């Protein structure tokens, strides 16, 4: 039997809203999916939240760096 543990972590951010263009949203997704261990990204524009699905341990600092590189600021996680 193979067991994989997945975890969902949500970050509240600034710089993410319903007025963001598709290019900006794609930038956020592509920055985050490059972080080792991140296997999925969900953006909730109405609530300014980014949720990431991981398949193991992920460096929180690298996630926050990726969010910043995409033009958002982490308010809380």
């Amino acid at each position: 039997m193979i067991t994989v543990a997945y975890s969902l972590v949500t970050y509240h951010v600034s710089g993410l809203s319903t007025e963001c263009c598709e290019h900006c949203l794609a930038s956020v997704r592509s920055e985050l999916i490059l972080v080792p261990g991140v296997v999925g990204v969900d953006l909730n524009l109405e609530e300014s939240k980014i949720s990431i699905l991981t398949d193991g341990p992920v460096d929180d600092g690298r996630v926050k760096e990726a969010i910043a590189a995409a033009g958002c600021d982490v308010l809380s996680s």
Side-chain angles (χ1 to χ4, degrees), residues 6-26:
Y6 287 96
S7 178
L8 184 65
V9 181
T10 301
Y11 295 85
H12 297 272
V13 300
S14 64
L16 186 68
S17 72
T18 56
E19 296 183 15
C20 289
C21 69
E22 283 302 316
H23 175 353
C24 293
L25 300 177

Side-chain angles (χ1 to χ4, degrees), residues 2 7-10 21 26 34-37 39 44-45 54 62 69 75:
I2 298 173
S7 178
L8 184 65
V9 181
T10 301
C21 69
L34 293 175
V35 176
V39 295
N44 182 325
L45 304 180
T54 66
R62 290 190 69 180
L75 302 174

Side-chain angles (χ1 to χ4, degrees), residues 1-75:
M1 177 200 298
I2 298 173
T3 303
V4 179
Y6 287 96
S7 178
L8 184 65
V9 181
T10 301
Y11 295 85
H12 297 272
V13 300
S14 64
L16 186 68
S17 72
T18 56
E19 296 183 15
C20 289
C21 69
E22 283 302 316
H23 175 353
C24 293
L25 300 177
S27 175
V28 172
R29 287 184 187 100
S30 63
E31 288 289 340
L32 285 165
I33 208 70
L34 293 175
V35 176
V38 173
V39 295
V41 177
D42 181 60
L43 306 176
N44 182 325
L45 304 180
E46 291 79 21
E47 296 182 22
S48 297
K49 292 181 183 178
I50 298 173
S51 297
I52 60 165
L53 181 65
T54 66
D55 65 354
V58 174
D59 182 343
D60 188 57
R62 290 190 69 180
V63 171
K64 289 178 179 178
E65 287 173 6
I67 290 172
C72 297
D73 294 314
V74 175
L75 302 174

